[in-house]
Amino acid sequence: MFDVAVFASLFVTLFVIMDPPGIMPIFLALTAGRPAKVQRKMAFQAVCVAFGVIAVFGVLGHQILAYLHVSVPALMIAGGLLLLLIALDLLTGKTEEPQQTKDVNVALVPLGMPLLAGPGAIVSVILAVQDADGASAQVSVWAAIVAMHVVLWLTMRYSLLIIRVIKDGGVVLVTRLAGMMLSALAVQQIINGVTQVVQGA
């Protein structure tokens, strides 16, 4: 009742797309200045949000996109623009949010979506669920999704140890670096979306 090849294929695909090592500096930058307990909570919230989004699209992805008349390239471009706005805030140091909402909003947007549950991950899961024939393949697909989110949680959870080493000055450096990486990722996502639009025209 378990297809190792299907599990490994989707897990590797999601690992490359969701990039747990690459999410570490962005997570540290977005949660900098908060108590460790709050940061751990936000890591868990972000993973739960990402899993929820991925699960919904895995089950109802085609129906949702068809109902909204939204194409995959449009989803990619929108996600890229949202990431670019967050990246600009990181680069300029304007990352503060209202006190009453910051603990929730960062975990939801951009961490949960579109950083973790981005267009690439959503499309990969939609296709994997669609192509999975039989119960064993379906079990393997969902096992890979769960395993990937466990890895993401562990990565963010234990990246907090880095803060104790790099101190405040290092956090500022990580924030700027994360902004640069995130802006490049956002631009590439927009380019991919525009390219698909052009190719489909």
Side-chain angles (χ1 to χ4, degrees):
M1 290 294 292
F2 192 81
D3 192 323
V4 176
V6 171
F7 173 89
S9 175
L10 181 58
F11 183 84
V12 170
T13 300
L14 290 177
F15 190 92
V16 171
I17 294 173
M18 300 177 90
D19 190 18
I23 207 70
M24 285 176 58
I26 298 172
F27 172 75
L28 291 174
L30 290 173
T31 61
R34 295 174 173 85
K37 183 178 179 180
V38 173
Q39 289 176 311
R40 289 192 292 269
K41 177 183 175 183
M42 293 172 72
F44 183 72
Q45 286 178 330
V47 170
C48 288
V49 169
F51 180 78
V53 171
I54 292 289
V56 168
F57 275 94
V59 176
L60 301 170
H62 285 292
Q63 294 89 326
I64 292 173
L65 294 181
Y67 177 76
L68 296 175
H69 303 289
V70 173
S71 66
V72 172
L75 190 65
M76 295 178 72
I77 294 171
L81 290 173
L82 178 58
L83 289 181
L84 188 57
L85 290 174
I86 302 298
L88 292 175
D89 282 345
L90 289 176
L91 285 170
T92 57
K94 299 176 181 177
T95 56
E96 283 299 312
E97 299 177 65
Q99 182 68 32
Q100 66 270 26
T101 61
K102 69 178 183 179
D103 290 346
V104 176
N105 284 353
V106 173
L108 299 178
V109 178
L111 278 176
M113 184 177 182
L115 278 177
L116 299 181
I122 288 172
V123 172
S124 297
V125 168
I126 290 174
L127 295 177
V129 171
Q130 177 183 304
D131 295 340
D133 295 324
S136 62
Q138 287 288 342
V139 169
S140 302
V141 164
W142 288 102
I145 294 170
V146 171
M148 186 68 251
H149 285 81
V150 170
V151 170
L152 285 166
W153 176 74
L154 290 173
T155 301
M156 290 189 291
R157 168 70 175 76
Y158 290 101
S159 67
L160 299 177
L161 298 175
I162 298 174
I163 294 179
R164 299 177 186 175
V165 177
I166 62 178
K167 308 298 182 184
D168 290 343
V171 169
V172 173
L173 178 62
V174 167
T175 299
R176 299 298 183 267
L177 177 62
M180 201 160 49
M181 291 168 53
L182 193 56
S183 62
L185 178 65
V187 170
Q188 185 61 55
Q189 191 163 293
I190 294 170
I191 290 172
N192 292 345
V194 172
T195 300
Q196 288 191 26
V197 171
V198 172
Q199 290 175 344

